[in-house]
Amino acid sequence: MLFNFSLYLVGGFFLLLFGLFFFILGSFFLINEYCVFLDWEFMSLNGCGMTMTLFFDWMSLIFMGCVLLISSMVIYYSESYMSHDGDKVRFYFLVFLFVMSMMMMIVSPNLISILIGWDGLGLVSYCLVIYFQNFKSYSAGMLTILTNRIGDVAILISVAWMLNFGSWHYIYYIYSWDYWSLILILLIILAGFTKSAQIPFSSWLPAAMAAPTPVSSLVHSSTLVTAGVYLLIRFSPMLSGFDCSFFLMIGMMTMFMAGLGANFEYDMKKIIALSTLSQLGLMMSSLFMGFSLMSFFHLLTHAFFKALLFLCAGLMIHCMSDSQDIRHMGGMINHLPFTCSCFVISNLSLCGFPFLAGFYSKDIILEMMMMSSYNFFVFFIFFVSVGLTVSYSMRLIYYCLSFNMNVYVCQSYSEDTLMMKSMILLTFLSIVGGSMLSWLLFSSPDLIFMPLYLKVLSLFFILFGGWLGYELSYGGYFDSNKSINYYLLSTFLGSMWFMPSFSTYMLVSPTLYLSKYSSELMDMGWGEYIISKSSLLVNSLLSKLYSYYHFNNLKLFIMVFLLFFLFFII
């Protein structure tokens, strides 16, 4: 039993060491503009060699370092969070497999080895989503894996398509443009959109909240959902070959839709999941504008504060006897001071509060968008989405920390030392991570000159969003509920534009009935008996005839022998 307890601490410690090592090594590679291509031939047979290729450059090493740092803190946190779980050893190895699949995907310059990591992420995420083994978890796991299979199939087709180039090493071909390349990049974009849950594949991301909270922290910060963005960042030189305005619109719509949905949601984990979706839309939008380095920068800063946000939420949910409804919470700042402080820091970083980690990446993306001569629609959606981010964050802080003292009978407030220790490093990175990475990634400082009103516009929308979130969530005993007054509108805006219904009921039910009818008519009908089973029927008839002659009647053999004998004599 002692081994079970120490397993998490030992694993977390080693992951932390490796994370620090990879981060420092990545910084060294970045400063010296250095990269390593590692070919490992693991089998050679009759002159045919099978090699495993790994590509270490500053981007892959820094990203690996960040993933390992976050996963070490998550595993350390899970020691306390999963302490009463009967299958915690299985949980530990599943999380470890999850992290290793992500490592495989990050360092692969080859579509075949990317597919191994990509499929590993999909499979292990399914095992983790159904971990609690109830009907809700099974449904969520099925939706997750079936949506992700679309992206897996796109990667498989692109593996076949890259035979046109003569090699699966995409890293050699991303700076060249051929007439084959359009199909390849469309397939890669499809794969990235399914994994990063862009419209119309968004509904699986809130559903995947059925997993344990440490898994949600890992999935939403640095592993599963960021795999699609990272793959597209790797392929970004190919994106400059054609017009990406349609994909830019999809990214912006995802950002806008998720921000709207989070303002009408009451499930704490789903609000944070929708905020992840909003940030993924921001990363995709900046990527399709051509700012792949800034997208990567936001990917890293977002990983720090989103992991911290989930860890704080997990402790709060634990204290509320596993109730995730924010209407059950209130006044938590009095009982969980350290956790609530970390929660507020991560939320402010998410909002883009000046000089926290999120500010450095979000502000530069907004300013580069303003400098890029896009139309008013892009301008409007970007700034409104930033305002909506602050709005739902303010609402979350207000409901959980200071709003009402809801007398929820099953409260058991206690701050665990292990959980608090795991939050300290992530809180530090949520504060200084943005400035540190901006000094590291951008070799020379970028000066963006704009009029004063454009410079302060993002700050204005942050303040306006905060006020709006307060107004929407504030309600006394005698005030009417604003959501109920405009019920149809709030239902539409808060249900991700009915996307979960499209993804499940409206697509699955008619399709299943159609497949049932076609199965009965085609597979089990006349075609089955006349065509498919004809060879079986003929062979079984011949074998029956043979066995009848062979085993049953000796006199038949004698008669046939006599007949042949007479025939030859005559």
mmCIF file of all heavy atoms in Angstrom, residues 29-45:
data_model
loop_
_atom_site.group_PDB
_atom_site.id
_atom_site.type_symbol
_atom_site.label_atom_id
_atom_site.label_comp_id
_atom_site.label_asym_id
_atom_site.label_seq_id
_atom_site.Cartn_x
_atom_site.Cartn_y
_atom_site.Cartn_z
ATOM 1 N N PHE A 29 19.076 25.828 -27.089
ATOM 2 C CA PHE A 29 18.926 25.618 -28.539
ATOM 3 C C PHE A 29 18.412 26.885 -29.215
ATOM 4 O O PHE A 29 18.818 27.218 -30.330
ATOM 5 C CB PHE A 29 17.946 24.465 -28.806
ATOM 6 C CG PHE A 29 18.589 23.107 -28.771
ATOM 7 C CD1 PHE A 29 19.586 22.795 -27.850
ATOM 8 C CD2 PHE A 29 18.192 22.115 -29.668
ATOM 9 C CE1 PHE A 29 20.169 21.553 -27.818
ATOM 10 C CE2 PHE A 29 18.783 20.859 -29.645
ATOM 11 C CZ PHE A 29 19.770 20.575 -28.715
ATOM 12 N N LEU A 30 17.493 27.589 -28.536
ATOM 13 C CA LEU A 30 16.915 28.806 -29.114
ATOM 14 C C LEU A 30 17.957 29.912 -29.230
ATOM 15 O O LEU A 30 18.062 30.585 -30.263
ATOM 16 C CB LEU A 30 15.744 29.270 -28.227
ATOM 17 C CG LEU A 30 15.066 30.583 -28.589
ATOM 18 C CD1 LEU A 30 14.448 30.509 -29.984
ATOM 19 C CD2 LEU A 30 13.990 30.931 -27.578
ATOM 20 N N ILE A 31 18.750 30.089 -28.185
ATOM 21 C CA ILE A 31 19.757 31.159 -28.184
ATOM 22 C C ILE A 31 20.822 30.896 -29.252
ATOM 23 O O ILE A 31 21.265 31.805 -29.951
ATOM 24 C CB ILE A 31 20.399 31.280 -26.778
ATOM 25 C CG1 ILE A 31 19.357 31.795 -25.782
ATOM 26 C CG2 ILE A 31 21.612 32.190 -26.795
ATOM 27 C CD1 ILE A 31 19.720 31.583 -24.340
ATOM 28 N N ASN A 32 21.213 29.608 -29.404
ATOM 29 C CA ASN A 32 22.275 29.264 -30.362
ATOM 30 C C ASN A 32 21.753 28.856 -31.735
ATOM 31 O O ASN A 32 22.545 28.462 -32.598
ATOM 32 C CB ASN A 32 23.127 28.125 -29.790
ATOM 33 C CG ASN A 32 23.895 28.566 -28.570
ATOM 34 O OD1 ASN A 32 24.623 29.543 -28.610
ATOM 35 N ND2 ASN A 32 23.712 27.862 -27.464
ATOM 36 N N GLU A 33 20.412 28.927 -31.947
ATOM 37 C CA GLU A 33 19.781 28.529 -33.223
ATOM 38 C C GLU A 33 20.268 27.149 -33.648
ATOM 39 O O GLU A 33 20.829 26.961 -34.739
ATOM 40 C CB GLU A 33 20.062 29.574 -34.306
ATOM 41 C CG GLU A 33 19.454 30.926 -33.987
ATOM 42 C CD GLU A 33 19.708 31.945 -35.083
ATOM 43 O OE1 GLU A 33 20.441 31.614 -36.023
ATOM 44 O OE2 GLU A 33 19.174 33.052 -34.977
ATOM 45 N N TYR A 34 20.019 26.206 -32.788
ATOM 46 C CA TYR A 34 20.592 24.865 -32.915
ATOM 47 C C TYR A 34 19.461 23.854 -32.973
ATOM 48 O O TYR A 34 18.424 24.037 -32.339
ATOM 49 C CB TYR A 34 21.466 24.625 -31.664
ATOM 50 C CG TYR A 34 22.365 23.427 -31.705
ATOM 51 C CD1 TYR A 34 23.408 23.342 -32.614
ATOM 52 C CD2 TYR A 34 22.184 22.381 -30.795
ATOM 53 C CE1 TYR A 34 24.248 22.249 -32.639
ATOM 54 C CE2 TYR A 34 23.015 21.278 -30.815
ATOM 55 C CZ TYR A 34 24.045 21.217 -31.738
ATOM 56 O OH TYR A 34 24.873 20.133 -31.750
ATOM 57 N N CYS A 35 19.614 22.794 -33.757
ATOM 58 C CA CYS A 35 18.611 21.717 -33.733
ATOM 59 C C CYS A 35 19.293 20.377 -34.003
ATOM 60 O O CYS A 35 20.359 20.320 -34.638
ATOM 61 C CB CYS A 35 17.487 21.969 -34.726
ATOM 62 S SG CYS A 35 17.991 22.105 -36.422
ATOM 63 N N VAL A 36 18.684 19.315 -33.513
ATOM 64 C CA VAL A 36 19.260 17.980 -33.623
ATOM 65 C C VAL A 36 18.251 17.065 -34.299
ATOM 66 O O VAL A 36 17.085 17.002 -33.910
ATOM 67 C CB VAL A 36 19.612 17.410 -32.224
ATOM 68 C CG1 VAL A 36 20.037 15.955 -32.319
ATOM 69 C CG2 VAL A 36 20.706 18.226 -31.577
ATOM 70 N N PHE A 37 18.724 16.364 -35.331
ATOM 71 C CA PHE A 37 17.921 15.363 -36.041
ATOM 72 C C PHE A 37 18.474 13.994 -35.666
ATOM 73 O O PHE A 37 19.613 13.682 -35.971
ATOM 74 C CB PHE A 37 18.071 15.591 -37.556
ATOM 75 C CG PHE A 37 16.793 15.456 -38.299
ATOM 76 C CD1 PHE A 37 16.050 16.570 -38.634
ATOM 77 C CD2 PHE A 37 16.333 14.204 -38.669
ATOM 78 C CE1 PHE A 37 14.864 16.450 -39.326
ATOM 79 C CE2 PHE A 37 15.156 14.075 -39.363
ATOM 80 C CZ PHE A 37 14.415 15.205 -39.692
ATOM 81 N N LEU A 38 17.686 13.181 -34.998
ATOM 82 C CA LEU A 38 18.172 11.908 -34.469
ATOM 83 C C LEU A 38 17.527 10.759 -35.226
ATOM 84 O O LEU A 38 16.306 10.601 -35.198
ATOM 85 C CB LEU A 38 17.830 11.822 -32.970
ATOM 86 C CG LEU A 38 18.505 10.729 -32.159
ATOM 87 C CD1 LEU A 38 19.991 10.980 -32.058
ATOM 88 C CD2 LEU A 38 17.891 10.696 -30.760
ATOM 89 N N ASP A 39 18.347 9.989 -35.942
ATOM 90 C CA ASP A 39 17.853 8.808 -36.659
ATOM 91 C C ASP A 39 18.292 7.557 -35.920
ATOM 92 O O ASP A 39 19.494 7.328 -35.755
ATOM 93 C CB ASP A 39 18.437 8.776 -38.088
ATOM 94 C CG ASP A 39 17.386 9.102 -39.123
ATOM 95 O OD1 ASP A 39 16.210 9.139 -38.747
ATOM 96 O OD2 ASP A 39 17.734 9.327 -40.292
ATOM 97 N N TRP A 40 17.347 6.768 -35.502
ATOM 98 C CA TRP A 40 17.658 5.534 -34.770
ATOM 99 C C TRP A 40 17.163 4.341 -35.585
ATOM 100 O O TRP A 40 15.967 4.143 -35.745
ATOM 101 C CB TRP A 40 17.017 5.569 -33.380
ATOM 102 C CG TRP A 40 17.094 4.272 -32.644
ATOM 103 C CD1 TRP A 40 18.162 3.451 -32.547
ATOM 104 C CD2 TRP A 40 16.035 3.644 -31.909
ATOM 105 N NE1 TRP A 40 17.852 2.341 -31.799
ATOM 106 C CE2 TRP A 40 16.545 2.438 -31.388
ATOM 107 C CE3 TRP A 40 14.711 3.986 -31.629
ATOM 108 C CZ2 TRP A 40 15.774 1.568 -30.624
ATOM 109 C CZ3 TRP A 40 13.943 3.130 -30.857
ATOM 110 C CH2 TRP A 40 14.480 1.937 -30.374
ATOM 111 N N GLU A 41 18.122 3.585 -36.129
ATOM 112 C CA GLU A 41 17.738 2.397 -36.919
ATOM 113 C C GLU A 41 17.571 1.221 -35.952
ATOM 114 O O GLU A 41 18.540 0.714 -35.389
ATOM 115 C CB GLU A 41 18.826 2.083 -37.942
ATOM 116 C CG GLU A 41 18.435 0.965 -38.875
ATOM 117 C CD GLU A 41 19.432 0.770 -40.017
ATOM 118 O OE1 GLU A 41 20.332 1.611 -40.169
ATOM 119 O OE2 GLU A 41 19.287 -0.223 -40.735
ATOM 120 N N PHE A 42 16.312 0.808 -35.759
ATOM 121 C CA PHE A 42 16.067 -0.246 -34.769
ATOM 122 C C PHE A 42 15.925 -1.624 -35.392
ATOM 123 O O PHE A 42 15.880 -2.627 -34.683
ATOM 124 C CB PHE A 42 14.830 0.083 -33.913
ATOM 125 C CG PHE A 42 13.552 0.253 -34.686
ATOM 126 C CD1 PHE A 42 12.737 -0.826 -34.966
ATOM 127 C CD2 PHE A 42 13.163 1.517 -35.113
ATOM 128 C CE1 PHE A 42 11.566 -0.666 -35.661
ATOM 129 C CE2 PHE A 42 11.986 1.684 -35.814
ATOM 130 C CZ PHE A 42 11.182 0.590 -36.096
ATOM 131 N N MET A 43 15.861 -1.704 -36.750
ATOM 132 C CA MET A 43 15.800 -3.021 -37.377
ATOM 133 C C MET A 43 16.329 -2.926 -38.802
ATOM 134 O O MET A 43 16.031 -1.976 -39.525
ATOM 135 C CB MET A 43 14.356 -3.552 -37.378
ATOM 136 C CG MET A 43 14.285 -5.032 -37.710
ATOM 137 S SD MET A 43 12.638 -5.702 -37.492
ATOM 138 C CE MET A 43 11.837 -5.172 -38.972
ATOM 139 N N SER A 44 17.158 -3.905 -39.167
ATOM 140 C CA SER A 44 17.641 -3.964 -40.543
ATOM 141 C C SER A 44 17.521 -5.402 -41.017
ATOM 142 O O SER A 44 18.041 -6.323 -40.390
ATOM 143 C CB SER A 44 19.100 -3.496 -40.596
ATOM 144 O OG SER A 44 19.554 -3.534 -41.915
ATOM 145 N N LEU A 45 16.829 -5.588 -42.126
ATOM 146 C CA LEU A 45 16.574 -6.943 -42.615
ATOM 147 C C LEU A 45 16.774 -6.969 -44.125
ATOM 148 O O LEU A 45 16.046 -6.284 -44.861
ATOM 149 C CB LEU A 45 15.138 -7.367 -42.248
ATOM 150 C CG LEU A 45 14.742 -8.803 -42.561
ATOM 151 C CD1 LEU A 45 15.534 -9.772 -41.698
ATOM 152 C CD2 LEU A 45 13.263 -9.004 -42.338
#
